[in-house]
Amino acid sequence: MTDIIEFETVTKSFGALTVLDRFDFRVRQGEKVTLIGPSGSGKSTVLRILMTLEPFEGGNIRIAGQSYHMPDGKGPFRATQAHLFNIRKHVGMLFQQFNLFPHMTVLRNITEAPVSVLGLSKAEARERAMDLLAMVGLSDKATFYPNQLSGGQQQRVAIARALAMRPKVLLFDEPTSALDPELVGEVLNVIRKLAEEHDLTMIMVTHEMRFAREISDRVCFFDKGRIVEEGPPDQLLVRPSHPRTAAFLAAVL
Ligand code: ADP
Ligand code: MG
């Protein structure tokens, strides 16, 4: 298997705060990786940089064969239009706060990018959207607006919207953290279904340790912008070898 994502000595600061310092990270195509770690350790920053929502100052990132790097000494890297286009095509991201377009119906939310970015006809996009709504169990909500749905339903629409682009990589940043406890299961069930897709690469930040153990090929424990320890879930989540991993797990489990 080839690496679909590579971070090579990536440096990222917010003002005086260095969040990532020569950070290395690789993900193979089809791999399901979970990032865990204390709040503020840099997990969201890694996903946001991948999604080109944050510039970075040093190093290289390669996604699906395309390289992003610093123009030598010319200040922070910012994605060009071509980069953004490539990312939108290959990488989808799910956020804690669903981020659906509030003024669009569920159907429009899902068809918008396939039509405007991929150039699908409205009919093709609609057909794709209806298939995805069936997959997430929301066929009857196509004409609803986001504020007419529960949080769990909104997050399932957000997943359908991301999948409508047929991404190679899906990023999940605490996709169930904003949900009432009784709605967490329905969203995890949809993500579990996706995890069965061999070719889809998934990187997830979550505090749902039992779920992480079930679906991950690899779990990475983050602390202060570094991967302190990584390994298969049955090893890292059950018999961690680093004391900081053990302390974190003792606090959250
Ligand atoms: P995590 O997702 O692991 O909780 P983050 O990646 O969100 O951590 O944040 C890492 C560090 O960067 C934290 O100290 C956070 O306060 C800081 N940070 C994140 N985003 C910004 C921002 N836009 N401006 C300033 N500091 C930020
Ligand atoms: Mg975060």
Side-chain angles (χ1 to χ4, degrees), residues 14 17 19 38-46 54:
F14 291 106
L17 175 73
V19 179
S39 177
S41 57
K43 306 179 300 294
S44 294
T45 300
V46 168
E54 291 287 349

Side-chain angles (χ1 to χ4, degrees), residues 155-170:
Q155 191 62 302
R156 285 187 281 150
V157 172
I159 292 171
R161 181 176 64 176
L163 290 171
M165 297 295 283
R166 306 235 166 114
K168 294 191 169 86
V169 181
L170 267 188

